[in-house]
Amino acid sequence: MMHTAYEELRFIGLTGNWREDVVSFLQSHGMGETAEHCVRVGQEARALAIQVGADPEKAEIAGYLHDVSAVFPNERRNAAARSLGIEVLPEEETFPMIIHQKLSRAMAEDLFQIHDTSILSAIECHTTLKKQSSLLDQVVFVADKISWDQQGIPPYLQKLKMELERSITHAAYAYIDDLWQKKEQLRVIHPWLREAHEELSERLNTQIDSQ
Ligand SMILES: [Fe+2]
Ligand SMILES: [Fe+2]
């Protein structure tokens, strides 16, 4: 039975084609632009996965699904998350946009029947990353930044692509470190982002030291 948090949604069923299912779901909620963004992220994630040796299928599916929670308006996201039993952190309370990553994970599982925990994990941390991130987490995180959901070319794109030549972890770190340098201007700093920043800087330093 479908959870009451999803009652307001028009869920249209599954065909087994993730891209089509996500696109028609988002379009039926008037989210055509998000649908396009999700398709681009899915394709980018697949390409990145092939490049860095992650699972292309999983990366693609996670990319398609990562923003499905956009169907919930910002002001209803925290309530929806809470009713699904998702922990809402104080930072998410203050800035509900960030809860959408956890909400997308729940929807991927409950509505789109994704039960692969590595895919669910990548969806869940696509905005902030998290500590002990997997290669797949990093692939989807970086794919989302490359195919961003705003107009024009992302200001950080050149640097991200340069770092990508070193490794996907360097690229993920470069993006996070950029945010970190501007942290005074951010509304909130999500604890997962803080932990990812700390841990990746250690991981990358350790790598450099051992070379
Ligand atoms: Fe997102
Ligand atoms: Fe996104």
Side-chain angles (χ1 to χ4, degrees):
M1 222 189 74
M2 204 182 280
H3 194 282
T4 52
Y6 303 128
E7 265 171 1
E8 61 183 290
L9 306 178
R10 285 179 296 280
F11 190 63
I12 27 107
L14 299 173
T15 66
N17 180 319
W18 301 111
R19 192 176 69 181
E20 279 175 21
D21 289 346
V22 167
V23 167
S24 45
F25 176 71
L26 287 169
Q27 278 177 348
S28 77
H29 291 84
M31 312 293 298
E33 279 181 29
T34 306
E36 282 172 31
H37 166 68
C38 286
V39 168
R40 284 199 306 272
V41 173
Q43 290 167 343
E44 184 65 48
R46 181 184 186 84
L48 276 179
I50 292 169
Q51 199 181 319
V52 306
D55 187 313
E57 284 315 309
K58 292 182 180 182
E60 187 176 352
I61 294 171
Y64 290 151
L65 284 160
H66 81 288
D67 272 343
V68 282
S69 63
V71 298
F72 284 105
N74 222 5
E75 65 276 10
R76 289 218 290 282
R77 286 180 183 167
N78 284 344
R82 242 181 245 107
S83 88
L84 288 165
I86 296 169
E87 183 190 16
V88 180
L89 302 171
E91 292 79 3
E92 294 159 342
E93 196 71 65
T94 313
F95 191 39
M97 189 286 282
I98 330 179
I99 199 79
H100 87 276
Q101 56 178 358
K102 294 181 180 171
L103 211 46
S104 285
R105 179 210 161 112
M107 293 173 70
E109 191 167 13
D110 300 341
L111 300 179
F112 290 86
Q113 304 300 318
I114 300 291
H115 303 297
D116 181 301
T117 50
S118 65
I119 297 177
L120 295 174
S121 167
I123 296 172
E124 178 183 58
C125 68
H126 79 262
T127 308
T128 59
L129 209 60
K130 60 183 175 186
K131 65 182 171 200
Q132 263 131 42
S133 56
S134 69
L135 196 57
L136 193 69
D137 293 336
Q138 294 173 21
V139 161
V140 175
F141 178 76
V142 171
D144 183 44
K145 310 311 168 230
I146 291 176
S147 316
W148 77 340
D149 52 6
Q150 295 172 54
Q151 290 297 312
I153 297 165
Y156 50 76
L157 189 63
Q158 208 186 354
K159 181 162 184 215
L160 200 70
K161 293 223 155 155
M162 245 170 59
E163 292 296 320
L164 197 52
E165 285 176 23
R166 302 170 76 188
S167 78
I168 187 85
T169 310
H170 282 90
Y173 178 73
Y175 179 85
I176 291 175
D177 190 51
D178 237 39
L179 281 182
W180 193 254
Q181 302 309 326
K182 289 184 288 198
K183 63 180 184 296
E184 267 70 48
Q185 300 156 42
L186 301 179
R187 301 260 295 276
V188 297
I189 298 173
H190 196 277
W192 291 8
L193 185 99
R194 181 193 302 276
E195 288 164 5
H197 183 260
E198 191 180 298
E199 191 221 7
L200 288 187
S201 79
E202 279 169 21
R203 250 202 246 183
L204 295 175
N205 280 331
T206 312
Q207 260 179 21
I208 292 161
D209 289 342
S210 62
Q211 272 169 3

